[in-house]
Amino acid sequence: MQKTKRCSTNNRIWSGSITVFLSLLCVLFFSLICTAVESARVQGARTQTANIAGMATFSILGEFEKPLLDEYEIFAVDGSYGSGSFKSEKVKSRLEHYLTINTNPKDGVFSVWCFDPWNLSLADTKLTGYALLTDEFGEPFYQQAVRYMKANAASLALDRLTEYSENTSTIQKWEKEYERRRKENDGQLSGLEDKKQQKMEQLESEATESGTEIVEVPRAENPLKEIAKLRRKSTLEIVTGGKTVSKKKVQTGKLPSKHRPGNGTLKLKKENSGFLANALFREYLMLHFPNYLSSEKTGKLDYQLEYILGGKVSDKKNLKYVVNRLLLIREGMNYLYALEAPEMNGKAEGLAVTLTGFLGMPALTAATKHALLLAWAYGESLIDVRTLLDDGKVPLFKDAGSWKLTLENLGRITEILEQGNTGGTQGLSYSEYLRILLNLGSLTEQKMRALDMIQCNLRENAETANFYAANCVVGTEMTGQWKCAPVFFRIPSVFLGISGETMTFEQQAGMAY
């Protein structure tokens, strides 16, 4: 009986030992599990901070100005948030708002089932960089416009856009050539005027001494007198034919092209550049801004494309600028044709001989012939511009079939101009000539002036009355700092004396349109 009792006592001892051992083993094993889970949680929390930072920058850019997108296909956030005054602290405040919400998703929510395993708290936020729509003279605006055109301009005839650009060198050459030749010819005629007068006096004196009749000056009409009168008049009044011209004006106070706003602190990558990108951007301008002949005119100015070309404060001044540029283009191209047309040279020489040949001054006759060709090209150019403004068409390069003005009618040019469009149906329209002017102009000026028009037009609406292009954010970059307190270290800390430390994470994030 005693032997049996001793065995029972031993069994109880062994049973107690096993229980203690298993308990210690379970504690160690559970502590190991908790440590592993805590390690995984910390790594997950680090990844979560990257997600939070990304969501915050995405959310900032998600507050884009909808009217700007609807009307001009441009993404940008009003960095003043409706106040009209941009401060980077306002953007930082919005950034902190989104970071806080995503860092503490259970904030303000009470539920036993709401468990946040990351246990993060936002310690610090820095807005390390931001990009504005007006940076680098409107480069972000240019990039977005070109991307839009690439995605939506599949139907455009890119070969035609290339052709317009290729003709710019010829146009520029003959614009300058016409101006140079006209100044030279005017100087020659002015220099010969004294000799002409002396020759006339000499002929009169000889006729008086010999008792013969005084040489009679030929009575052929001299069209140069009528052209001289026209040159002293306003070209805009001549070619518009008395039509009403818009009197709208803009205030230049805070226009991007006049105010020259400062740049942001974040430099964005330039994805688009070169010949094709420039052509697409200018086509974007053609599509989004009305001109003199546009049927629908809404906005601060009626002639917005003319403003982009001229940069003047009023519709009238911008139209005047464009008209003078069109006239110069046509003068150069018409003069080019007149020089190369034998029939026109023959007629000009014949009239020059009639007008000056009796004086026996070959230099005067040659200068008069050249003056007639220059005046003829000028008269034809006035008709061309009048035709364009009447929604007609004019070829860039003239031929015998498209030349309208005869030398006999050059003296009647004012009467002819009053008739308006003389039937131009072949060639380029007014809009296509504006496209040529865009290719001849400064891309930098066009970007900023287009932003001027966008700003002026949007400010006409009550919803965007405080809109300024210089306040528009198109990209942000931030650095955030989070603290991550331990969650699964409580069991190891109680049984093993292992205490977890609060971790600090720093994450950078950036995003741009």
Side-chain angles (χ1 to χ4, degrees):
M1 291 295 294
Q2 290 181 355
K3 183 177 181 181
T4 302
K5 185 177 181 180
R6 189 181 300 116
C7 289
S8 177
T9 302
N10 290 337
N11 288 337
R12 285 197 299 271
I13 293 172
W14 278 106
S15 176
S17 301
I18 292 172
T19 302
V20 172
F21 176 76
L22 287 176
S23 298
L24 292 174
L25 188 62
C26 287
V27 168
L28 289 173
F29 186 68
F30 198 50
S31 298
L32 179 62
I33 292 175
C34 288
T35 303
V37 171
E38 179 68 13
S39 177
R41 186 194 70 85
V42 169
Q43 295 303 317
R46 187 187 298 275
T47 302
Q48 181 68 0
T49 58
N51 294 335
I52 293 171
M55 286 188 288
T57 53
F58 184 85
S59 297
I60 285 289
L61 297 187
E63 298 179 328
F64 56 84
E65 201 69 25
K66 192 173 184 297
L68 178 62
L69 177 64
D70 291 342
E71 296 183 34
Y72 298 102
E73 319 299 338
I74 300 298
F75 284 98
V77 177
D78 181 6
S80 72
Y81 293 94
S83 69
S85 176
F86 173 79
K87 290 184 179 179
S88 60
E89 288 78 9
K90 294 179 180 180
V91 181
K92 179 185 176 184
S93 177
R94 295 297 296 167
L95 186 65
E96 288 179 339
H97 169 72
Y98 287 115
L99 287 172
T100 302
I101 287 177
N102 291 302
T103 298
N104 303 305
K106 65 179 182 179
D107 189 32
V109 178
F110 178 76
S111 173
V112 295
W113 304 107
C114 185
F115 172 65
D116 177 21
W118 313 122
N119 201 22
L120 292 167
S121 60
L122 186 64
D124 189 27
T125 306
K126 292 180 181 178
L127 181 67
T128 56
Y130 59 89
L132 301 174
L133 194 63
T134 53
D135 284 356
E136 299 181 72
F137 300 100
E139 185 64 24
F141 165 60
Y142 169 87
Q143 293 294 328
Q144 285 200 52
V146 173
R147 284 203 302 269
Y148 168 77
M149 293 302 294
K150 282 185 175 181
N152 297 277
S155 61
L156 285 178
L158 295 180
D159 56 333
R160 292 295 304 277
L161 299 183
T162 303
E163 180 183 339
Y164 293 134
S165 300
E166 289 175 347
N167 287 329
T168 56
S169 58
T170 302
I171 292 170
Q172 288 175 318
K173 174 185 175 182
W174 284 99
E175 280 182 345
K176 295 176 181 178
E177 189 67 12
Y178 179 84
E179 286 291 286
R180 184 182 69 82
R181 296 278 186 94
R182 188 167 74 87
K183 288 178 180 179
E184 285 183 358
N185 189 256
D186 289 346
Q188 289 174 355
L189 288 175
S190 178
L192 290 168
E193 188 62 33
D194 291 340
K195 293 182 180 180
K196 174 184 174 182
Q197 189 63 32
Q198 292 174 7
K199 189 68 175 180
M200 288 288 295
E201 292 174 356
Q202 179 184 348
L203 291 175
E204 290 176 358
S205 176
E206 290 176 354
T208 301
E209 291 176 359
S210 63
T212 59
E213 295 182 1
I214 299 175
V215 176
E216 186 177 349
V217 178
R219 299 193 177 192
E221 181 182 1
N222 187 351
L224 295 178
K225 295 179 181 180
E226 182 65 22
I227 294 299
K229 292 179 183 178
L230 274 179
R231 287 192 182 276
R232 289 192 290 269
K233 294 182 179 180
S234 167
T235 302
L236 181 60
E237 294 179 4
I238 294 172
V239 297
T240 54
K243 291 182 180 178
T244 302
V245 175
S246 168
K247 296 180 180 180
K248 289 184 176 181
K249 296 182 179 181
V250 293
Q251 299 295 326
T252 61
K254 289 188 177 181
L255 293 181
S257 67
K258 311 295 184 183
H259 187 247
R260 297 300 184 193
N263 287 332
T265 57
L266 178 63
K267 190 170 184 179
L268 302 181
K269 182 180 178 181
K270 298 178 182 179
E271 298 177 352
N272 301 294
S273 62
F275 176 81
L276 179 59
N278 293 344
L280 288 173
F281 175 74
R282 284 165 171 146
E283 198 62 25
Y284 168 89
L285 300 179
M286 295 288 297
L287 290 173
H288 288 84
F289 299 93
N291 60 55
Y292 174 74
L293 292 181
S294 297
S295 57
E296 184 178 350
K297 295 183 175 71
T298 57
K300 190 65 176 178
L301 293 178
D302 285 347
Y303 315 150
Q304 295 179 23
L305 202 56
E306 285 82 354
Y307 172 84
I308 292 173
L309 288 165
K312 312 299 182 183
V313 297
S314 68
D315 273 333
K316 184 176 182 179
K317 289 183 178 180
N318 287 312
L319 185 60
K320 181 179 179 180
Y321 170 84
V322 168
V323 161
N324 288 332
R325 290 289 292 113
L326 291 177
L327 181 65
L328 188 56
I329 288 176
R330 290 310 319 153
E331 284 173 331
M333 302 312 292
N334 289 335
Y335 178 64
L336 169 63
Y337 174 72
L339 284 179
E340 297 177 348
E343 184 179 355
M344 294 182 68
N345 275 267
K347 288 184 177 182
E349 185 173 6
L351 181 57
V353 170
T354 302
L355 293 172
T356 63
F358 71 98
L359 293 171
M361 297 176 63
L364 179 61
T365 301
T368 302
K369 172 197 171 183
H370 203 170
L372 287 169
L373 288 175
L374 289 164
W376 202 350
Y378 172 70
E380 180 77 3
S381 300
L382 288 174
I383 295 175
D384 289 344
V385 177
R386 178 65 192 274
T387 299
L388 290 172
L389 294 184
D390 279 348
D391 207 14
K393 293 185 177 182
V394 176
L396 185 60
F397 297 94
K398 287 288 185 78
D399 56 24
S402 57
W403 191 276
K404 299 174 183 176
L405 183 63
T406 63
L407 186 58
E408 293 77 15
N409 285 333
L410 183 56
R412 298 177 49 249
I413 182 64
T414 302
E415 179 185 340
I416 294 172
L417 285 168
E418 291 175 354
Q419 299 174 5
N421 186 351
T422 57
T425 58
Q426 301 295 324
L428 305 179
S429 65
Y430 176 74
S431 294
E432 290 172 306
Y433 271 95
L434 291 184
R435 186 179 283 112
I436 290 175
L437 288 179
L438 286 172
N439 280 292
L440 289 170
S442 165
L443 187 68
T444 297
E445 290 180 346
Q446 290 164 14
K447 289 187 290 187
M448 296 302 287
R449 289 171 184 170
L451 287 173
D452 288 349
M453 282 292 92
I454 290 174
Q455 176 175 301
C456 288
N457 294 338
L458 290 182
R459 284 176 58 82
E460 290 288 285
N461 302 323
E463 182 184 355
T464 49
N466 290 323
F467 177 88
Y468 290 102
N471 294 342
C472 289
V473 177
V474 294
T476 59
E477 191 175 69
M478 56 81 63
T479 299
Q481 196 175 76
W482 285 264
K483 290 184 178 180
C484 179
V487 173
F488 296 103
F489 261 122
R490 294 177 182 177
I491 293 176
S493 64
V494 170
F495 291 97
L496 302 179
I498 301 175
S499 60
E501 295 182 357
T502 298
M503 306 289 292
T504 300
F505 302 140
E506 187 173 277
Q507 285 288 352
Q508 294 180 340
M511 190 172 294
Y513 293 119

